[in-house]
């Protein structure tokens, strides 16, 4: 029964994720986000992280599904941050603020490169340590971006251009939400036992 419910929840999860990604892709490609104030980009990012986390804490089926996911896959997911970081460094050539590029670009690349290292390590709590470091780095990068958006720092408007806008309005939202859920999973109950079992 639990496996069947997980299968249904998984289908809904990937359907919503796909529709979300497609919506951001189409709106970004059509230049919609370049026509709205930067404060709305910041609010969309916060909302995009908050809603999945709220569903995680309020919906028992989704909560159970996330807890059933292999920690290896939740860690491998962060590999996407390497190309995202490289893109930010590329955008650092007079397209985005230098401080934001440094915080977001180098941080994402570092976290992404740590993924294979963590998977090869054999010690208790390795996943908890990785995801804690990941979310701290993530908070610095996102915090810098949101602050620059709210202050309307010059060049920050380029974050709303395509394809760059896919990172904050899709990648950042999904990563932030999953990171919070994963940490909650690891730091509650039999977290360490669960982590060892997924080595």
């Amino acid at each position: 029964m639990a496996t069947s419910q997980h299968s249904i929840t998984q289908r809904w999860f990937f359907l919503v994720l796909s529709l979300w990604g497609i919506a951001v892709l189409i709106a970004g490609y059509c230049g919609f986000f370049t026509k709205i104030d930067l404060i709305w980009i910041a609010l969309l990012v916060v909302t995009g992280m908050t809603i999945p986390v709220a569903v995680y804490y309020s919906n028992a089926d989704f909560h159970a599904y996330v807890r059933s996911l292999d920690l290896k896959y939740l860690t491998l997911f962060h590999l996407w941050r390497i190309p995202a970081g490289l893109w930010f460094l590329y955008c650092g050539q007079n397209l985005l603020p230098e401080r934001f590029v440094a915080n977001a670009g180098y941080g994402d690349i570092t976290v992404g490169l740590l993924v294979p290292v963590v998977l090869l390590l054999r010690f208790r709590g390795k996943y908890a340590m990785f995801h804690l470091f990941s979310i701290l780095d993530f908070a610095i990068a996102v915090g810098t971006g949101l602050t620059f958006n709210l202050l309307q720092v010059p060049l920050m408007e380029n974050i709303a251009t395509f394809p760059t806008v896919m990172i904050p309005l899709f990648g950042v939202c999904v990563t932030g939400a999953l990171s919070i859920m994963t940490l909650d999973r690891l730091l509650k109950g039999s977290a360490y036992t669960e982590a060892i079992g997924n080595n």
Side-chain angles (χ1 to χ4, degrees), residues 98-151:
E98 183 178 348
R99 174 45 50 192
F100 172 70
V101 167
N103 288 353
Y106 291 114
D108 278 344
I109 292 171
T110 300
V111 171
L113 291 176
L114 280 175
V115 169
V117 176
V118 170
L119 294 180
L120 289 172
L121 291 175
R122 299 283 178 180
F123 73 89
R124 186 174 182 171
K126 67 178 185 178
Y127 289 115
M129 290 180 64
F130 170 80
H131 287 282
L132 182 59
F133 172 77
S134 170
I135 204 168
L136 287 174
D137 167 76
F138 188 76
I140 292 171
V142 174
T144 303
L146 292 177
T147 301
F148 283 13
N149 266 2
L150 294 173
L151 295 176

Side-chain angles (χ1 to χ4, degrees), residues 72-192:
K72 291 176 186 170
Y73 297 129
L74 289 171
T75 302
L76 280 167
F77 171 75
H78 288 268
L79 284 172
W80 87 272
R81 294 173 67 173
I82 295 176
L86 291 172
W87 179 257
F88 278 135
L89 294 183
Y90 168 77
C91 289
Q93 302 173 29
N94 301 317
L95 293 176
L96 289 170
E98 183 178 348
R99 174 45 50 192
F100 172 70
V101 167
N103 288 353
Y106 291 114
D108 278 344
I109 292 171
T110 300
V111 171
L113 291 176
L114 280 175
V115 169
V117 176
V118 170
L119 294 180
L120 289 172
L121 291 175
R122 299 283 178 180
F123 73 89
R124 186 174 182 171
K126 67 178 185 178
Y127 289 115
M129 290 180 64
F130 170 80
H131 287 282
L132 182 59
F133 172 77
S134 170
I135 204 168
L136 287 174
D137 167 76
F138 188 76
I140 292 171
V142 174
T144 303
L146 292 177
T147 301
F148 283 13
N149 266 2
L150 294 173
L151 295 176
Q152 299 194 342
V153 172
L155 295 181
M156 201 61 199
E157 64 272 8
N158 289 322
I159 198 72
T161 59
F162 185 82
T164 307
V165 73
M166 292 295 298
I167 297 177
L169 293 187
F170 184 69
V172 165
C173 296
V174 175
T175 302
L178 275 180
S179 294
I180 293 170
M181 297 174 205
T182 304
L183 269 182
D184 176 78
R185 169 183 170 176
L186 285 165
L187 299 178
K188 283 184 178 179
S190 56
Y192 288 130

